[in-house]
Amino acid sequence: MFRKVLIANRGEIAMRVMRACRELGVRTVAVYSDADAAAPHTRFADEAVRLGPPPPSESYLQIDAVLEAARKMGADAVHPGFGFLSENARFAEAVGEAGLTFIGPKPDVVRTMGSKTEARALMQKAGVPVVPGTPAGKDDASLIAAADGIGFPLLVKASAGGGGKGMRIVRESKELTGALASARREAKSAFGDDTVFLERYLERPRHIEFQVFGDDHGNIVHLFERECSIQRRHQKIVEETPSPALDDALRRRMGEAALAAARAVEYTNAGTVEFLLSADGEFYFLEMNTRLQVEHPVTECSTGIDLVHWQLRVAAGEPLPLRQEDLRQQQHAIECRIYAEDPASQFLPVTGRAVYVREPEGPGIRVDAALESGQEIPVFYDPMLAKLITWGRDRDLAIARMRQALGDYVVLGVTTNLPFLREVIAHEAFASGDTDTGFLDRWFADWQPSSDTPSDEVCWALAAAESEHRPTGSTGGGSDDGDRFNPWERLGPWRPGGVA
Ligand code: MV4
């Protein structure tokens, strides 16, 4: 096992990785920008190194500064987290060249999967179903010639894309020329690469992804699926496992396809194979993500496996601890992402100070966060503040716990999507598992907070009442939980519909 790991990230994922390192007796090095000099991840690490000014391009994306920090502190491995440098093949390569271990897949696999068209071609060859479409490197004339054979509606996609950039839906052939031009323009400016391709457009598919894991000894397993269909503008909001849309037979077929995808590139460490599942039950490879994902905790809470422990062990050369037949979906788990954003105003990110934060606690509840009372939310980074995960023996219990936990989660001083999440989780269509990628557009297009959301004044009064009842120096969770004063419980209507 490593002696010391540098975590090239910030916020909750940096905290999450450091916790795992500590559990395995590994020392931790944080890196931070000037905006994060006093941030939780900077303070939580054994040691911390300043990278530079707040903008990511001058701090968390500075490959040389990160490597210099690792060298200076004597780290022997680097964990990239997600976002930032996590899927940058050049970074993975540079880590290796510096004599350190990159905790992730091989650089050439990161590079291959970064190209949607290369990934698509490779998967097609490996027998993994892909959406009918064209290969890369075609000029407009050949794309237009291929369009009728694929059939409308079509989707123009950028090869270097992901996250919906450079995508255009085309419903009729006369729109194709214009869509190609604008997709190329957008792809060129976003990725510096105007390569596009065509795929048949699937209407309101489900987004189902499989967690895969490989080691250096030729073993590859999958850890089942995550249903991630509740998204807006390609930003996931709610994820869960098992997916309400899969039965055992479909799960087995998709799991086999995910393994075939991973084997095709001799995948090592943690990865995710994304599929679209159409309304008629057909599934298609979409892309492969070569990082630990934001939503990995639902897999952990369902299977009981610590994925970051596995990442560290496998990167250190150990074999995978379990075989496929040892893995089970034991619990139903749901994750809600809590963002500093205003759902009533186009979900625009907001900044400010989270003056008071109170996290829910209880059985079947996990909070992955780097958020504490008094914290400034910097403008420079992703607005995700925290992840709330609940689990239980079945979906109904996981949902009930999520409703309860969302009701108990208090963030004052900065607008969050908490009131929005409370209503999403309480919605009938969610309860019935009717969650395709059109869910939010269909049910929450013009959402406004309901009048029974308590005002800030009420929250302040309750926060004050609570802090008076807390023994000084304690942050809650005292010796006798049954005796704890919880003024938030009085906010009955705050929990939409209540929890039986
Ligand atoms: C699609 C699709 C329908 N048909 N491809 C969106 C992000 C990009 N990585 C791929 N995406 C999609 N590709 C075909 N052939 C619909 C989407 C899509 C989507 C996919 C997953 C989750 C949410 C989505 C929301 C809108 C569109």
Side-chain angles (χ1 to χ4, degrees):
M1 186 43 65
F2 306 112
R3 253 183 356 92
K4 197 188 269 194
V5 169
L6 180 141
I7 295 89
N9 216 299
R10 66 180 301 280
E12 66 85 18
I13 190 58
M15 301 281 279
R16 163 74 190 91
V17 173
M18 289 180 204
R19 210 172 300 121
C21 288
R22 248 181 224 160
E23 286 161 358
L24 298 184
V26 177
R27 288 182 61 79
T28 55
V29 181
V31 288
Y32 63 92
S33 73
D34 291 336
D36 285 336
H41 85 275
T42 306
R43 288 181 286 118
F44 189 64
D46 296 317
E47 298 165 293
V49 181
R50 175 185 178 269
L51 290 176
S57 60
E58 297 174 53
S59 53
Y60 297 104
L61 292 174
Q62 281 287 335
I63 293 179
D64 291 343
V66 171
L67 291 178
E68 173 55 21
R71 193 201 56 76
K72 194 170 92 187
M73 306 314 280
D76 39 24
V78 175
H79 195 300
F82 45 68
F84 294 128
L85 296 168
S86 62
E87 290 180 289
N88 183 318
R90 213 159 44 77
F91 178 62
E93 216 160 54
V95 169
E97 285 161 7
L100 311 170
T101 303
F102 179 75
I103 302 175
K106 301 275 173 282
D108 60 318
V109 173
V110 176
R111 189 169 289 119
T112 300
M113 292 305 172
S115 161
K116 306 306 151 199
T117 42
E118 247 188 272
R120 203 182 126 83
L122 222 129
M123 292 311 151
Q124 208 163 8
K125 220 174 86 193
V128 179
V130 299
V131 189
T134 62
K138 300 287 183 195
D139 55 26
D140 281 9
S142 25
L143 290 176
I144 291 163
D148 280 328
I150 299 165
F152 289 86
L154 280 176
L155 197 55
V156 182
K157 288 189 174 183
S159 180
K165 276 233 176 72
M167 259 174 47
R168 294 288 182 281
I169 301 169
V170 183
R171 305 224 166 248
E172 296 175 59
S173 59
K174 67 174 185 338
E175 298 165 1
L176 185 53
T177 310
L180 285 169
S182 78
R184 283 196 199 278
R185 224 177 300 121
E186 189 172 314
K188 183 78 188 171
S189 89
F191 315 112
D193 176 355
D194 70 355
T195 310
V196 297
F197 63 107
L198 301 181
E199 271 184 6
R200 180 71 198 258
Y201 178 63
L202 308 175
E203 307 268 4
R204 294 184 164 176
R206 284 180 184 250
H207 172 127
I208 312 260
E209 57 184 34
F210 272 70
Q211 177 72 53
V212 295
F213 229 108
D215 65 18
D216 289 335
H217 308 272
N219 305 302
I220 299 185
V221 297
H222 75 78
L223 294 99
F224 309 100
E225 79 279 10
R226 293 183 288 259
E227 157 93 51
C228 310
S229 299
I230 300 192
Q231 328 197 346
R232 57 169 300 285
R233 307 245 174 107
H234 311 293
Q235 179 174 279
K236 295 170 186 166
I237 297 178
V238 180
E239 303 100 344
E240 66 176 311
T241 187
S243 165
L246 303 195
D247 58 22
D248 288 343
L250 184 53
R251 179 171 295 112
R252 197 163 311 120
R253 281 171 53 220
M254 292 181 77
E256 281 303 322
L259 288 175
R263 285 189 199 113
V265 289
E266 297 177 40
Y267 199 86
T268 51
N269 219 287
T272 296
V273 182
E274 293 186 355
F275 295 103
L276 293 180
L277 177 63
S278 70
D280 61 11
E282 296 294 321
F283 67 87
Y284 307 93
F285 172 85
L286 190 57
E287 45 195 79
M288 181 164 190
N289 301 319
T290 56
R291 60 172 190 274
L292 184 73
Q293 302 223 164
V294 175
E295 58 272 26
H296 78 277
V298 294
T299 299
E300 297 187 319
C301 293
S302 173
T303 61
I305 305 269
D306 189 307
L307 293 173
V308 183
H309 284 187
W310 276 28
Q311 284 197 292
L312 291 160
R313 291 188 187 289
V314 159
E318 294 178 30
L320 285 173
L322 295 176
R323 294 160 305 172
Q324 190 67 54
E325 58 268 32
D326 302 324
L327 296 164
R328 294 270 183 284
Q329 287 173 300
Q330 293 166 337
Q331 301 279 311
H332 196 101
I334 303 173
E335 173 180 278
C336 285
R337 299 190 188 185
I338 294 145
Y339 291 98
E341 64 182 17
D342 188 355
S345 306
Q346 292 107 55
F347 293 85
L348 285 175
V350 298
T351 60
R353 215 164 119 90
V355 185
Y356 179 81
V357 177
R358 184 186 196 276
E359 292 178 353
E361 44 192 80
I365 296 175
R366 165 174 166 181
V367 178
D368 278 23
L371 178 68
E372 51 194 20
S373 297
Q375 195 173 313
E376 206 64 56
I377 313 299
V379 290
F380 305 96
Y381 313 115
D382 189 275
M384 192 180 76
L385 298 178
K387 304 184 306 206
L388 173 58
I389 305 100
T390 61
W391 71 91
R393 90 192 83 77
D394 57 28
R395 189 167 188 267
D396 286 345
L397 182 56
I399 292 175
R401 284 177 168 159
M402 183 58 81
R403 289 175 74 162
Q404 181 112 9
L406 285 168
D408 284 345
Y409 212 133
V410 183
V411 180
L412 300 183
V414 61
T415 305
T416 72
N417 65 339
L418 274 165
F420 181 76
L421 284 169
R422 290 178 190 122
E423 292 190 30
V424 168
I425 293 300
H427 200 279
E428 272 171 47
F430 182 74
S432 59
D434 199 2
T435 49
D436 62 48
T437 49
F439 178 90
L440 292 180
D441 284 341
R442 191 149 58 239
W443 302 110
F444 291 91
D446 304 304
W447 183 84
Q448 291 294 317
S450 72
S451 55
D452 59 11
T453 300
S455 68
D456 268 6
E457 287 76 13
V458 170
C459 290
W460 284 115
L462 289 166
E466 184 196 54
S467 66
E468 265 184 27
H469 276 258
R470 273 190 190 173
T472 46
S474 163
T475 50
S479 56
D480 187 0
D481 266 346
D483 236 17
R484 242 175 86 226
F485 173 70
N486 183 358
W488 309 100
E489 271 161 18
R490 283 155 211 275
L491 290 177
W494 193 358
R495 294 180 195 147
V499 174

